Every structure is written in structure tokens, then in C-alpha cells.
Amino acid sequence: MGELCTPSSTELLYSCWGEQPSLARPLMQGDVFSDVPLPGFSEDPQYAQIVMHPCNMRRGAVMRDRITVIPVSEYSMRSSDWTRRYRIMPLPELHGPGTANHMGDMIEFVTVSSANLTARNRVAALSDDGVLILQQRMVFTQTRLLLSLDRFHSQMAPTFIELELQEEWAEEALASVAEDGDSSAIIDEAVKQYQSWLDEDSAGRRDALKNVREHSRIRREVRQHYMSLYS
């Protein structure tokens, strides 16, 4: 039997490390938030990590009212925790190099209001590999079935590129307006435009996302379209 995967470096576990992720970045499985009320855990808001699959978090461009998370707390981490302590998601140096280690408790699931999970109270975001490592640990914790990261990547690749291009589209929208504009409203409108563009029936773009060979074409078309909108 193999072992659970260990990230090649702490830096590569995170997409954004030591700085707040971009407001344009879509909320994603693995994101960590501060000041989240966790019913049944404490009266005080706590850190929490999204564990809900990104496809289950949304209805099109709209977040669902309730999102599944796990509590996150400070933790004295050892290197062996990656392979031996499968019931946790290690989050080393969560706030950047030299800061405290944390962990997500994958036994204590709780559902919270999505209104409490925003781009403004998000403190960290996992890289694509970080998300796959989280998924591997979650599946092993619940089933004792150890699957390779390649297996998880094969089903996540369409979601990764969809959200990557959504972030690009929203960043371009933000860059096209005055700095004092309402960032949240601009991003919301950009996301609606992007999702509508993907869903245009005649183009078959959403179906194309499922085919890795089509990803280069979709990237090119997305960039051409948002540049035509915002340039």
C-alpha cells in the first residue's frame, strides 16, 4: 500500500501564501477563512476551511446558501503528519513563512452560511496540487481507499481551468474600471458574463472544458473575448 502524498514544498501547497488571495479568485475547495461562526463549536468566530467540492458550491454563478467546512486551529506539526495523521489537513505556516502551523480537522464537518465565506475574509488558498492532496486525504479518511493524485486530477482538470479563466476574466474587468469602483459588483457582473459565455449552446464551450485537448483553444477564446469587452 502506498502513502498519502506530501507536497514538495510548503510554498507549492498554496496558491497564495502570506498574502490575501485576489478578490477576483473564485472561492474554492481548500480555501481558509477567518472570523467564521461555527455552530456547535464555539461562540467566537474561528478559522475554517472549505471542503465542499467546487461543483457543489454553486448554482451557475451563484454560491449556495450553505457551504460545508472543517474547523482550523493552530497545531504543532511534525513532518510525519503528512503520511501518518490522515484525519487532518496540515496547513504549515498558514500566514506565510515563519508563521504558526495550523491544521484542518477532517472529522468535524460543519455547514455554515456562505455569507460568512467571502474573498475579503479569505486568508489562504491552496494550489491545484494542494486541492488534490486535500481530496486524497478526505477520501482516505472516510473510506480507507488510497487513490493517486492523478486520479483526482483527471476529474478536477475541467474545474481547475474553468475557475482559472473566471479569475482572469474578473481581473480584466477590475483593471478596466476606476480604482474607486465597487469591486464586488464588478466581479459579480464579470462572473455572470463569463458563465453566460460558457453556456452559449451553439459553441459547446462548457462541454469542451471536459476535454483536456480543448483547453488551449478555450483559453485562447476566453482571452480574446474578455479583451474585446474590456480593452
Side-chain angles (χ1 to χ4, degrees), residues 31-205:
D31 286 358
V32 180
F33 301 80
S34 63
D35 301 318
V36 182
L38 299 181
F41 284 85
S42 171
E43 293 183 1
D44 298 322
Q46 299 184 41
Y47 286 101
Q49 183 176 34
I50 292 178
V51 291
M52 199 173 201
H53 192 282
C55 293
N56 294 336
M57 288 165 53
R58 298 172 174 83
R59 296 185 183 92
V62 180
M63 292 289 290
R64 292 183 180 273
D65 292 337
R66 310 287 292 175
I67 302 295
T68 305
V69 304
I70 55 176
V72 170
S73 58
E74 283 197 29
Y75 176 68
S76 298
M77 186 178 166
R78 298 163 294 183
S79 59
S80 61
D81 289 339
W82 284 108
T83 55
R84 294 176 181 268
R85 292 211 61 198
Y86 56 85
R87 294 184 179 92
I88 68 169
M89 177 60 192
L91 297 166
E93 299 178 292
L94 178 62
H95 295 286
T99 62
N101 298 324
H102 288 68
M103 65 90 175
D105 187 341
M106 293 196 294
I107 299 299
E108 301 287 356
F109 290 80
V110 60
T111 303
V112 302
S113 170
S114 59
N116 293 316
L117 306 172
T118 74
R120 297 189 183 279
N121 70 321
R122 177 170 50 185
V123 298
L126 298 185
S127 65
D128 288 357
D129 278 355
V131 173
L132 300 179
I133 288 170
L134 171 63
Q135 291 182 343
Q136 183 191 57
R137 298 179 77 84
M138 288 176 58
V139 169
F140 187 77
T141 297
Q142 299 298 322
T143 68
R144 303 303 186 267
L145 176 65
L146 182 59
L147 301 176
S148 71
L149 294 194
D150 287 342
R151 290 282 298 276
F152 289 100
H153 185 265
S154 66
Q155 59 86 24
M156 281 297 294
T159 301
F160 283 149
I161 187 173
E162 178 183 342
L163 297 184
E164 170 196 331
L165 295 174
Q166 177 174 308
E167 181 176 359
E168 281 190 24
W169 189 301
E171 288 280 16
E172 193 69 21
L174 282 175
S176 70
V177 299
E179 291 186 4
D180 59 353
D182 184 341
S183 297
S184 295
I186 294 165
I187 291 170
D188 287 347
E189 182 59 29
V191 170
K192 290 176 184 177
Q193 289 178 327
Y194 170 68
Q195 292 293 333
S196 295
W197 182 84
L198 280 181
D199 286 331
E200 290 178 359
D201 292 338
S202 60
R205 298 184 184 106

